[in-house]
Amino acid sequence: MDLLTSFSFATVPLILSAPGATKELGPELRARFPAIRRVLLVTDQGFLRTGLADAPIHSLRAAMFHVEQFTEVVADPPEHVIEKALVLAREHDIELVIGLGGGSSMDVAKLVAVLANSAQSMAEIYGIGNVHGSRLPLVQIPTTAGTGSEVTNISIVTTGATTKKGVVAPQLYADMAILDAELTIGLPPAVTAATGIDAMVHAIEAYTSKHKKNPLSDGLARQALSLLSRHLIRACENGHDLAARQAMLLGAMLAGQAFANAPVAAVHALAYPIGGIFHVPHGLSNSLVLPHVLRFNAEACVEQYAELATIVVPHVDGSVAARAEALAVAMQQFGTITGLPRTLSQVGITASDLDLLADDAMKQVRLLGNNPRTVTREDAYALYKLAL
Ligand SMILES: NC(=O)c1ccc[n+]([C@@H]2O[C@H](COP(=O)([O-])OP(=O)(O)OC[C@H]3O[C@@H](n4cnc5c(N)ncnc54)[C@H](O)[C@@H]3O)[C@@H](O)[C@H]2O)c1
Ligand SMILES: [Fe+2]
């Protein structure tokens, strides 16, 4: 890294990392938001079924918060879900929003906090820096160790049958993020694996981001990758391993801090159409294209991949190229060991779908612009073909 390179770095001002912390959510928030009464909890049915939302809700009520719940978040949330949550927030004059769930719930919570008291519509805020004014106080509590959305300034919305759009704005940084591994013990192994690989991709892509790579993101990405690679298998094999679960949450958050400031690239650009068109979960979509994009990119950032290989594969040696290849192999193995599908065919995609995927991937101009190597339409098609 050239020490004369200018950069800026932003993150959430307060992070609380403590297993069991959300059992004391009421007193925690009462101390920090003394004047607030009416809060909206944004979550989804899958998390609610674990019963793990009961203790934080009880704690909030005991601390004299009036709690409304919006429980209709679905994976890859469409616009109408956000609109419905907004109606509820306005109806009850909500003063603080809590996102409790995976990236989907936290992304909805962000937009509710931003739009509840705003004259702007959803359509006006897509893109970068289009949010005007302030938002409601916002607290984010992840229940997957994946997206890092609790510390990013991004919200991803499904806008059509197969398309997604992002809102990127400083107002989307929460006031507080809480990492409580007890909330993640019920996460099934396949979701643990896919979301954990998503977090590792955030770290890898931040470390090699073409325009905004910076020393703070680099350090965070390295530490994230170390935590995630050492604890992913443990967390999949024994979901009740609280230390492994807390390490995964911490790693995912560090990766989130890294990529909020050094954005992700071609792995995500190629993964989005797989999720959008075929409804494959975000982390799994990433893992299906990951090894192929790593090998494709290696000619542009082989040294950086070799550096990351020493973290993921501690005893790796050989040439820079051999170490970069070891990173691709290791990342592929995480998917194999945890039993995730390994090819596009295994998730129902056929050769006749690849043109559509490649066309869609090329629309991810913002992400492709961050990639260390230029990706043409032909490259995108070839990468999907390798993943088939
Ligand atoms: N804002 C960002 O910075 C950012 C970054 C990457 C991805 N995303 C977005 O985040 C979404 C994906 O988020 P995700 O991967 O966390 O998945 P998710 O929020 O969609 O949840 C996946 C599934 O896991 C279940 N679940 C969540 N927590 C659980 C728990 N503790 N126990 C049992 N089940 C649980 C949910 O009910 C759901 O069925 C996508 O919409 C993606 O586009 C956002
Ligand atoms: Fe991601």
Side-chain angles (χ1 to χ4, degrees):
M1 159 97 19
D2 177 357
L3 290 175
L4 296 178
T5 305
S6 309
F7 72 95
S8 64
F9 186 92
T11 194
V12 166
L14 180 64
I15 288 147
L16 174 61
S17 177
T22 56
K23 289 195 186 110
E24 298 298 320
L25 187 61
E28 192 61 56
L29 297 196
R30 179 51 70 222
R32 298 182 198 282
F33 304 97
I36 281 174
R37 293 278 163 251
R38 292 178 302 281
V39 307
L40 178 69
L41 193 79
V42 177
T43 188
D44 75 277
Q45 291 294 330
F47 178 67
L48 267 190
R49 272 195 296 275
T50 65
L52 291 165
D54 295 349
I57 292 170
H58 179 79
S59 168
L60 285 168
R61 293 199 168 124
M64 306 306 287
F65 286 104
H66 174 82
V67 185
E68 287 296 329
Q69 297 179 50
F70 180 77
T71 61
E72 294 171 51
V73 175
V74 292
D76 305 304
E79 273 178 338
H80 66 82
V81 167
I82 294 139
E83 300 288 1
K84 203 164 174 192
L86 272 172
V87 170
L88 189 70
R90 288 173 181 148
E91 226 172 62
H92 294 276
D93 217 358
I94 290 301
E95 298 167 293
L96 180 147
V97 182
I98 303 173
L100 176 67
S104 300
S105 293
M106 292 191 286
D107 282 5
V108 172
K110 285 176 181 177
L111 297 179
V112 172
V114 159
L115 291 174
N117 290 342
S118 164
Q120 285 188 292
S121 67
M122 287 283 304
E124 290 173 276
I125 64 171
Y126 289 121
I128 302 176
N130 295 326
V131 174
H132 303 319
S134 57
R135 55 151 173 76
L136 293 178
L138 174 64
V139 175
Q140 296 283 35
I141 309 173
T143 66
T144 62
T147 67
S149 178
E150 67 275 18
V151 289
T152 72
N153 56 346
I154 306 164
S155 180
I156 315 271
V157 182
T158 302
T159 49
T162 60
T163 49
K164 279 186 164 192
K165 281 189 185 164
V167 179
V168 185
Q171 291 92 333
L172 269 57
Y173 284 117
D175 295 297
M176 181 178 186
I178 303 178
L179 309 182
D180 175 359
E182 287 184 7
L183 301 177
T184 68
I185 51 173
L187 202 60
V191 186
T192 304
T195 50
I197 291 174
D198 181 31
M200 287 198 248
V201 175
H202 296 157
I204 295 171
E205 295 211 286
Y207 199 75
T208 52
S209 194
K210 189 169 179 182
H211 299 299
K212 293 192 175 170
K213 180 173 166 68
N214 68 80
L216 284 179
S217 288
D218 282 356
L220 293 161
R222 294 175 66 99
Q223 201 189 346
L225 213 48
S226 170
L227 283 164
L228 295 163
S229 61
R230 281 185 289 124
H231 294 94
L232 178 73
I233 308 291
R234 253 175 78 180
C236 288
E237 283 177 356
N238 176 10
H240 286 80
D241 184 333
L242 205 58
R245 290 294 199 182
Q246 193 72 29
M248 291 299 294
L249 268 181
L250 184 57
M253 186 208 66
L254 296 171
Q257 290 180 313
F259 91 85
N261 296 280
V264 293
V267 180
H268 274 75
L270 265 66
Y272 276 137
I274 302 172
I277 303 169
F278 297 96
H279 304 290
V280 174
H282 175 72
L284 175 56
S285 308
N286 272 304
S287 90
L288 292 169
V289 294
L290 174 62
H292 310 291
V293 177
L294 290 178
R295 290 184 178 115
F296 171 81
N297 280 350
E299 74 175 41
C301 56
V302 72
E303 276 164 20
Q304 289 156 11
Y305 284 164
E307 286 163 18
L308 295 181
T310 61
I311 296 168
V312 179
V313 194
H315 302 296
V316 70
D317 56 12
S319 67
V320 170
R323 278 178 277 148
E325 172 60 19
L327 178 69
V329 171
M331 291 309 302
Q332 203 156 16
Q333 278 173 348
F334 282 118
T336 311
I337 295 169
T338 55
L340 291 180
R342 287 152 58 197
T343 64
L344 295 179
S345 314
Q346 287 173 314
V347 296
I349 295 172
T350 63
S352 63
D353 299 318
L354 301 190
D355 274 312
L356 182 60
L357 286 171
D359 286 341
D360 246 33
M362 295 317 288
K363 293 180 191 152
Q364 302 290 336
V365 178
R366 177 177 69 88
L367 299 178
L368 291 173
N370 300 325
N371 201 55
R373 181 176 168 188
T374 302
V375 181
T376 65
R377 165 53 172 87
E378 289 67 38
D379 294 331
Y381 185 92
L383 286 164
Y384 283 126
K385 198 150 182 257
L386 285 168
L388 197 64

